[in-house]
Amino acid sequence: HVQLVESGGGSVAAGGSLRLSCVASRDIYSSNCMGWFRKTPGGERDAVAVIANPGDRTYYADPVKGRATISRDNAKNTLYLQMNSLKPEDTAMYYCAAYLALPWQRCSFRENDYRYWGQGTQVTVS
């Protein structure tokens, strides 16, 4: 059954903005680490931004620092990624992911640490 569902992707002109959403089932949303990854054709699936719960500490990959904001709405079991000043190199399939880290661990940027994944939403910047 589906546990993470992304939406909000699309085609946008360079310099524009998009907000991606990811609705999670309650058991997945209780994960203390959630994040957004992206993958280009022929490329690796790289972390974009990660948020820890509780505390909402956020971490961003260098290519998106200053242009991306990750947030969560606990009332809606929803994770968001606001992307501004989009560039053609932001074109990728964007994935929502989650896992339960140990209490003393910082949320990871490594793909293999994430247990739960959505199907992805395509973002195209031209």
Side-chain angles (χ1 to χ4, degrees):
H1 68 287
V2 177
Q3 296 176 314
L4 291 168
V5 180
E6 303 97 334
S7 63
S11 296
V12 63
S17 299
L18 280 176
R19 188 176 80 157
L20 307 182
S21 300
C22 172
V23 178
S25 58
R26 182 174 298 179
D27 55 340
I28 301 306
Y29 195 77
S30 63
S31 300
N32 58 356
C33 291
M34 296 188 75
W36 289 94
F37 287 71
R38 66 186 182 185
K39 186 179 184 302
T40 57
E44 302 286 327
R45 189 156 57 178
D46 296 321
V48 176
V50 171
I51 187 167
N53 181 47
D56 285 350
R57 288 163 293 169
T58 56
Y59 310 95
Y60 297 93
D62 287 341
V64 303
K65 280 182 180 176
R67 301 188 297 119
T69 302
I70 187 171
S71 62
R72 52 195 296 164
D73 184 335
N74 293 336
K76 297 180 179 179
N77 285 4
T78 301
L79 180 72
Y80 300 102
L81 180 69
Q82 176 71 41
M83 291 281 292
N84 301 322
S85 302
L86 283 161
K87 305 174 181 180
E89 51 263 44
D90 294 318
T91 296
M93 183 70 79
Y94 283 71
Y95 297 89
C96 172
Y99 80 107
L100 187 64
L102 294 172
W104 58 86
Q105 290 179 323
R106 174 175 167 167
C107 289
S108 171
F109 265 49
R110 297 186 303 177
E111 176 187 6
N112 289 344
D113 287 331
Y114 284 76
R115 178 177 181 183
Y116 307 104
W117 291 88
Q119 295 300 306
T121 186
Q122 178 67 38
V123 171
T124 302
V125 185
S126 59

